[in-house]
Amino acid sequence: GRSNSHIFFIFGASGDLAKKKIYPALWWLYRDGFLPEHIRIIGYARSQLTIEKIFENAKKFMKVQEDEHEIFEKFVSINSYINGSYDNKEDFEKLNNEANKLSKQESAHRLFYLALPPSVYESVTELISLHCRPKSPGWLRLIVEKPFGKDLESSNKLSTHLSKFFTEEEIYRIDHYLGKEMVQNIIVLRFANQILSRVWNRDSIAAVIIIFKEDIGTQGRGGYFDEFGIIRDVIQNHLMQILSIVAMEKPNSTKGEDIRDEKVKVLRSVLPIKPEDVVIGQYVGDKDSKDPERQQGYLDDKGVPKDSTTPTYAQVILSINNERWAGVPFILRAGKALNEKKAEIRIQFRDSPGGMFEEDASQQDSNHKLARDELVIRVQPNEAIYLKVNTKRPGDMGFSIEETELDLTYGQRYEGVKLPDAYERLILDVFMGSKINFVRSDELQEAWRIVDPILAEIEKKNIPMIRYKFGSFGIREAFDAAAKHGYIFRG
Ligand code: BG6
């Protein structure tokens, strides 16, 4: 007989994530021939919509080229939309019947993407498991987006619920930062290069900083955001995942379980964060800006209560209590409504000992110190890896010293190479059953364990909230705290 069909379900098909990320990713995978031959895609949400309407909204993000219209029409034809509730058994039975009809196979493999608010998670997952499972030998894979709970307790509760209806094997917890080229490259960079792996420790490294900046505010997502704040939105997941890969020991192999074992092990060594190592902020509008968006502060977002104390900026400094890292600060910094969009990892090496260049260094540093070497992994935009080093100023007599970079900018070195979108890669991983880039339940639990006490302190208003203007470079207090822990900022 013919090979098994696949059905990809998108729950929350009318939402922001579906429109901006999931539909475009599926389209690119389809266009490039990565999806299985027999596949149907079914969007599901509460609103009465049509698939045409869904594509009208998503099209802007799908970047369909002039010569792709024909194949795009084919893609549209494998899509359907069904509306129904998130808590009614009959609707799920109906969905199941429709799905069987569309794929003409009751044992088609089924992938369910949950792009849903947390309030409906429990009912939807239960109903999927009870009414929408494929007949054998079809398998089921459930892709869950954050938020996975709001804190350790609610996250554990959700995990317990999911484990009643699905095996761990079936669950794919997505963190789209794990699908980014440079995040995936950290493992290769670290473990395929002796020149780096030998110095990747407290003897050579003074500080590590992981930075996430955005130049947009909440843009109407204030309702969601206000319940979560920046720590839950990006630090507990995206930045913590990066930290675990930067800091983990060498895995036994490239197998998903080996890598995830090491990630969770290093997270377990992270000490409780001290409140004095936390800086939080909230943006206010910049009345002098010509850009109407920048004039709006966080509290001006319609979804945000006027007295909200939710942080839109946070910096936390973590200590990893193990042989490799004791004493090295890991600084996680994230903010919305800043001057630029950027995500990067900076590994700052220790000062060069000895005074040989003291005189010469005084030209660049009032402390008569040479600039530290620094390895920068720029995740976005313009993927790059560069190593800041000192060099002799070309052509100069004597020893004038200048800072420069050994520079691997992807746009130049790999000109024309297309880097797939994070969601594209991760969705393909799910089709292939690869779990390397998905979050295991014990990792998730550790990540919550680390941020939980700080969330509680913020809730109790024990940490001062600093206001910053939309478009700021950052928050002074955060730079000072990083400097106090030994990270020297040089731009
Ligand atoms: C999401 C957050 O997980 O990541 C958003 O919820 C944030 O608030 C987004 O804007 C950033 O993703 P990217 O890929 O644009 O850096």
Side-chain angles (χ1 to χ4, degrees), residues 199-209 243 246-247 317-331 346-350 485-487:
V199 297
W200 211 261
N201 55 51
R202 63 196 297 261
D203 299 332
S204 307
I205 292 175
V208 175
I209 182 162
L243 172 134
V246 168
I317 303 182
L318 305 181
S319 317
I320 301 177
N321 190 24
N322 67 15
E323 178 99 17
R324 182 182 295 275
W325 295 118
V328 179
F330 279 77
I331 305 160
R346 291 176 165 254
I347 314 286
Q348 190 168 87
F349 292 92
R350 293 196 181 280
H485 279 82
Y487 178 79

Side-chain angles (χ1 to χ4, degrees), residues 17 21 145-147 175-177 180 212-214 216-219 221 224-225 229-230 232-234 237-238 336 341-343 379-380 421-423:
L17 186 71
K21 297 290 183 184
E145 260 286 345
K146 68 149 210 282
D175 182 311
H176 80 283
Y177 267 62
K180 293 189 188 264
F212 168 101
K213 293 174 84 174
E214 279 187 325
I216 53 171
T218 42
Q219 292 191 322
R221 273 172 86 234
Y224 150 79
F225 191 88
I230 194 79
R232 294 182 180 95
D233 191 45
V234 302
N237 37 64
H238 307 328
K336 290 199 171 268
K341 178 172 171 79
K342 183 149 102 180
V379 176
Q380 64 188 32
D421 180 74
Y423 278 90

Side-chain angles (χ1 to χ4, degrees), residues 247-317:
M248 71 181 178
E249 295 300 313
K250 188 175 189 166
N252 276 334
S253 77
T254 53
K255 292 208 181 74
E257 292 320 311
D258 283 340
I259 291 173
R260 299 193 303 174
D261 283 348
E262 293 305 336
K263 285 168 68 192
V264 78
K265 194 167 105 201
V266 73
L267 290 178
R268 285 201 190 110
S269 312
V270 174
L271 296 175
I273 308 169
K274 299 195 201 89
E276 65 264 32
D277 292 332
V278 179
V279 174
I280 55 170
Q282 190 184 74
Y283 68 92
V284 295
D286 175 6
K287 296 294 167 236
D288 302 324
S289 173
K290 289 193 186 55
D291 178 351
E293 194 190 332
R294 290 194 170 199
Q295 292 166 7
Q296 301 288 306
Y298 178 65
L299 299 180
D300 300 320
D301 188 311
K302 281 199 208 65
V304 174
K306 291 289 162 254
D307 57 352
S308 167
T309 53
T310 299
T312 58
Y313 182 106
Q315 174 178 284
V316 299
I317 303 182

Side-chain angles (χ1 to χ4, degrees), residues 109-122:
H109 301 310
R110 293 185 173 191
L111 302 90
F112 293 88
Y113 200 118
L114 302 192
L116 293 170
S119 53
V120 298
Y121 253 69
E122 300 207 350

Side-chain angles (χ1 to χ4, degrees), residues 8 18 35 41 67 132 186 228 231 243 262 272 370 380 425 432 476:
F8 193 98
L35 293 188
I41 298 168
D67 57 349
C132 299
I186 299 168
F228 292 91
I231 294 182
L243 172 134
E262 293 305 336
L370 283 175
Q380 64 188 32
R425 277 186 222 257
M432 299 192 309
R476 161 99 277 137

